Amino acid sequence: MFQNNLLFGAASISAVVTSDFTANDGTATNAGDLTFTDVALGDEAADRIIIVGLSTNDYSNTYTSGTVAGNTLSLVVQTPSVNNHTTFILQASVASGTSGDIFVDWSSTSTATQIGVWAIYGANSTVSDTAYAILDSGGTAPVSADIDCPAGGVIVGISRNGPNGSPTGVWSNLTEDFDAAYDAVGVTGAHDNFADAQSDRTITCTQTGGIYP
């Protein structure tokens, strides 16, 4: 099953926040830090925030440091240490550049590291809510979490599953952006903008094609 599901909501400065999914990348390389080169970051803007969803294959991992186009990534939220998968959501204010390198460093060596990248415009950097869910049984039942989002905000989610097969995710109440599998570990991401405030919006992600544990 999908082990990790992280959701991010950002407050609005004015009108409705806009956002775009810009890229995903990954590797089966066994490493404790990685640089993803020339990653698409979307249109330049003075108020642009880059969101990076990071997934690693070691449950004891903690986020150490990272940059996107030379700008420091800060930790928004991560899953707790369980079931050999750790997922992080990171953010940085990045005004210039339509592409750039993303460097991430975590506390222990990990295989099957993956990232998803989103550009958010018109939001402030204060996170309004976070949520996660962990499913530790086999099969294909969905993993689910509830999250609030202010009017004019955005929710971004990332979910990881594996090993065995090349799993894909099906999202409910959030629009899917990508599915990817490296070293038989699947990661999927999704996001949406919301003109109206969301209270306890239930986001689910169901995996097919993979089994864990």
Side-chain angles (χ1 to χ4, degrees), residues 148-171:
D148 298 335
C149 183
V154 60
I155 298 173
V156 173
I158 186 169
S159 184
R160 177 183 179 94
N161 180 37
N164 301 324
S166 295
T168 60
V170 177
W171 292 81

Side-chain angles (χ1 to χ4, degrees), residues 77-160:
V77 65
Q78 75 173 71
T79 47
S81 298
V82 65
N83 288 335
N84 205 38
H85 293 169
T86 305
T87 307
F88 312 84
I89 288 182
L90 316 169
Q91 70 172 11
S93 295
V94 184
S96 61
T98 58
S99 64
D101 292 352
I102 294 179
F103 168 77
V104 284
D105 183 16
W106 49 94
S107 60
S108 56
T109 300
S110 174
T111 59
T113 300
Q114 301 188 50
I115 60 170
V117 184
W118 293 262
I120 296 178
Y121 305 91
N124 62 45
S125 60
T126 301
V127 179
S128 62
D129 194 17
T130 63
Y132 68 85
I134 298 173
L135 189 63
D136 58 5
S137 61
T140 59
V143 62
S144 175
D146 296 339
I147 190 168
D148 298 335
C149 183
V154 60
I155 298 173
V156 173
I158 186 169
S159 184
R160 177 183 179 94

Side-chain angles (χ1 to χ4, degrees), residues 34-42 44 48-52 66-73 91-104 115 117:
L34 285 168
T35 298
F36 299 91
T37 59
D38 199 28
V39 179
L41 302 177
E44 295 180 324
R48 181 178 62 181
I49 296 173
I50 297 297
I51 302 297
V52 178
T67 58
V68 51
N71 299 274
T72 299
L73 282 162
Q91 70 172 11
S93 295
V94 184
S96 61
T98 58
S99 64
D101 292 352
I102 294 179
F103 168 77
V104 284
I115 60 170
V117 184

